[in-house]
Amino acid sequence: EAQVTQNPRYLITVTGKKLTVTCSQNMNHEYMSWYRQDPGLGLRQIYYSMNVEVTDKGDVPEGYKVSRKEKRNFPLILESPSPNQTSLYFCASSLRGRGTQHFGDGTRLSIL
Amino acid sequence: LAKTTQPISMDSYEGQEVNITCSHNNIATNDYITWYQQFPSQGPRFIIQGYKTKVTNEVASLFIPADRKSSTLSLPRVSLSDTAVYYCLVGELQGGKLIFGQGTELSVKP
């Protein structure tokens, strides 16, 4: 089954403790992206990757890192999480660029 | 990326046709128009995409006038399960940055 898989689905952690949210897709898509969603602010893009080893900033990249060492995986790294990064995060992929985006089920992060 | 403007919210009743309009005055020649649907706590789901005139699939129609400065998503005979947020996006398919905007919160009542 074609899918985008995010892990973990839920995480409660503390300020400053490094964490990684994994994202994996099995559709051989070139494009992958991370979003955060907050009440009243809609979906905002954090980072995107047009292909392996190519990443670029979205609208809200501060406090986040990404890497794209292989096509199927696009982890989101919070090196020193802070409470303002408490949010619902989505990973998405598409065959290329802004084509049809396939989204994961989301990761709800709470940073205390 | 072209800026889009949609109504913040809309109400409808079961069985009615719902039309959600998106304004994109600065749309560029190579831009496509794409609509997504999102249920609470789920990732958005692709609904329909078009470049000009009319596109129809099994769930919706997309109407795009000749000047392409706006588009209308049409949902025929909505049901309670169509209650969701609908996003209009405009951009080249080859591009990387995506802006979802606020979306339109559709509420379908019995």
Side-chain angles (χ1 to χ4, degrees):
Chain A
E1 181 192 348
Q3 58 186 3
V4 176
T5 304
Q6 296 178 225
N7 280 297
R9 293 292 314 281
Y10 305 91
L11 179 63
I12 301 173
T13 187
V14 296
T15 299
K17 187 176 179 184
K18 181 179 178 180
L19 67 91
T20 298
V21 184
T22 63
C23 175
S24 179
Q25 51 93 3
N26 62 359
M27 295 168 279
N28 202 35
H29 284 170
E30 291 183 356
Y31 180 95
M32 296 186 75
S33 182
W34 277 103
Y35 302 85
R36 63 176 290 174
Q37 187 165 37
D38 304 287
L41 296 177
L43 272 159
R44 294 180 292 168
Q45 192 177 43
I46 304 171
Y47 270 96
Y48 63 92
S49 169
M50 299 293 285
N51 213 325
V52 176
E53 300 294 358
V54 180
T55 63
D56 211 341
K57 295 177 181 178
D59 276 340
V60 289
E62 295 79 19
Y64 304 94
K65 283 177 58 176
V66 292
S67 70
R68 187 93 182 272
K69 292 184 169 43
E70 44 188 349
K71 205 170 191 177
R72 63 182 292 127
N73 296 323
F74 190 46
L76 179 70
I77 303 157
L78 285 72
E79 297 243 334
S80 183
S82 62
N84 64 11
Q85 292 177 298
T86 291
S87 187
L88 178 59
Y89 291 85
F90 291 102
C91 178
S93 72
S94 70
L95 190 58
R96 60 184 183 281
R98 300 193 192 100
T100 304
Q101 301 287 310
H102 299 261
F103 282 80
D105 289 331
T107 294
R108 192 170 288 281
L109 283 183
S110 292
I111 299 160
L112 307 175
Chain B
L1 288 172
K3 181 175 164 23
T4 61
T5 304
Q6 306 172 230
I8 295 294
S9 64
M10 292 181 69
D11 290 331
S12 182
Y13 291 93
E14 280 191 294
Q16 288 187 333
E17 178 185 72
V18 170
N19 295 309
I20 306 174
T21 296
C22 179
S23 173
H24 29 79
N25 290 320
N26 296 323
I27 190 168
T29 304
N30 294 332
D31 286 348
Y32 279 70
I33 299 152
T34 310
W35 286 81
Y36 287 84
Q37 174 193 57
Q38 186 182 27
F39 298 112
S41 297
Q42 294 185 26
R45 185 174 70 103
F46 171 86
I47 302 175
I48 197 165
Q49 183 177 77
Y51 182 80
K52 62 180 179 180
T53 61
K54 177 184 174 182
V55 180
T56 297
N57 62 23
E58 62 276 8
V59 297
S61 294
L62 178 59
F63 298 93
I64 306 167
D67 66 5
R68 303 201 327 124
K69 292 183 185 299
S70 68
S71 58
T72 299
L73 173 72
S74 181
L75 304 172
R77 296 181 301 280
V78 294
S79 65
L80 296 176
S81 63
D82 291 315
T83 293
V85 178
Y86 293 82
Y87 296 95
C88 162
L89 282 73
V90 174
E92 287 186 44
L93 293 185
Q94 300 298 328
K97 203 164 186 179
L98 271 168
I99 298 176
F100 272 79
Q102 295 286 325
T104 297
E105 188 169 2
L106 173 66
S107 177
V108 179
K109 299 178 171 59

